[in-house]
Amino acid sequence: MRFLIFFGTLIIIIGLVKVYVFRGVNQALLSDKWMWIYAILSISITVIGLVTMFTSYSGGMIGLTPFRSFLIGIGVSLIICELLLSALFLIDDVVMGGEWIYALTQKTQAQDHLPESRRRFLKTLSFGLMSIPFGAYLYGITKGKYDFRVLEEELSFPDLPKAFDGFRILQFSDMLSSCFDRTDEVKRG
């Protein structure tokens, strides 16, 4: 029951964020056609990613295929980027709301301190900025997860006991379970 409540709440939040982002994308691109293309792609990617995620983990991470891992990664990446985008859009809307409230209290007409072209530019810039982390996520879930590096560092300390002379320490860092889906890459690392 808790899972259903959590999942339902998550879907509602993601849906509200998406509607808010679609409105901002429409304002940025000034085109219903491009907004609908973005909306269809965004909803499709998110639904496929979430369904894949919630149906894949019953067998555990070991059985996760590279393709399923990619679908989950792209869906989650899009959700995170849209959350960031909605935060940038929210800043602009809070400023506009503040100007509207000020105009109401002063019984004057709201003065838009940012012309519509500048607001459109800021929303378009926000949309462009969202593509940077999204591209980084895509690289990370496709190529970057196999970028294993073996670094050897020799450390010396004047007060190190002789018992530690030649002692080797192994450290694994930033290992994700999705890195283990290709054994040839793991062996190379």
Side-chain angles (χ1 to χ4, degrees):
M1 183 66 174
R2 281 187 189 172
F3 175 76
L4 290 176
I5 292 171
F6 169 76
F7 188 69
T9 305
L10 181 68
I11 295 300
I12 290 170
I13 291 170
I14 290 171
L16 291 173
V17 166
K18 286 196 175 293
V19 168
Y20 188 63
V21 168
F22 298 158
R23 185 187 68 81
V25 167
N26 191 23
Q27 290 172 342
L29 301 178
L30 294 179
S31 169
D32 285 340
K33 178 180 120 181
W34 286 108
M35 191 270 306
W36 282 110
I37 290 171
Y38 177 80
I40 291 168
L41 285 173
S42 173
I43 290 169
S44 300
I45 290 169
T46 302
V47 167
I48 290 169
L50 289 176
V51 167
T52 304
M53 181 168 58
F54 287 113
T55 58
S56 294
Y57 288 117
S58 61
M61 289 296 292
I62 302 301
L64 198 60
T65 65
F67 184 67
R68 284 181 174 262
S69 178
F70 175 76
L71 291 177
I72 293 168
I74 197 169
V76 171
S77 300
L78 184 64
I79 291 168
I80 291 170
C81 289
E82 285 182 341
L83 283 170
L84 294 172
L85 187 60
S86 66
L88 293 172
F89 287 170
L90 184 63
I91 292 169
D92 181 54
D93 289 342
V94 166
V95 169
M96 283 180 58
E99 291 172 356
W100 180 75
I101 290 171
Y102 178 77
L104 281 178
T105 60
Q106 300 300 314
K107 298 193 186 225
T108 62
Q109 191 152 10
Q111 294 283 329
D112 193 2
H113 296 297
L114 289 176
E116 190 60 36
S117 61
R118 182 173 280 174
R119 287 196 189 280
R120 181 172 174 245
F121 170 75
L122 290 174
K123 290 200 181 212
T124 305
L125 181 65
S126 299
F127 192 62
L129 287 175
M130 181 191 77
S131 67
I132 295 170
F134 187 69
Y137 287 134
L138 283 180
Y139 174 78
I141 63 177
T142 55
K143 301 287 184 196
K145 69 180 179 177
Y146 303 121
D147 190 14
F148 298 116
R149 296 182 187 161
V150 177
L151 303 174
E152 291 190 30
E153 297 286 332
E154 188 169 323
L155 303 173
S156 62
F157 301 98
D159 56 347
L160 188 67
K162 293 281 186 212
F164 289 105
D165 188 28
F167 193 74
R168 297 184 81 167
I169 298 174
L170 174 67
Q171 174 191 353
F172 285 105
S173 176
D174 298 335
M175 296 297 291
L176 304 173
S177 59
S178 63
C179 298
F180 300 112
D181 57 7
R182 289 185 46 197
T183 55
D184 58 324
E185 290 290 339
V186 174
K187 287 177 184 176
R188 183 185 62 78

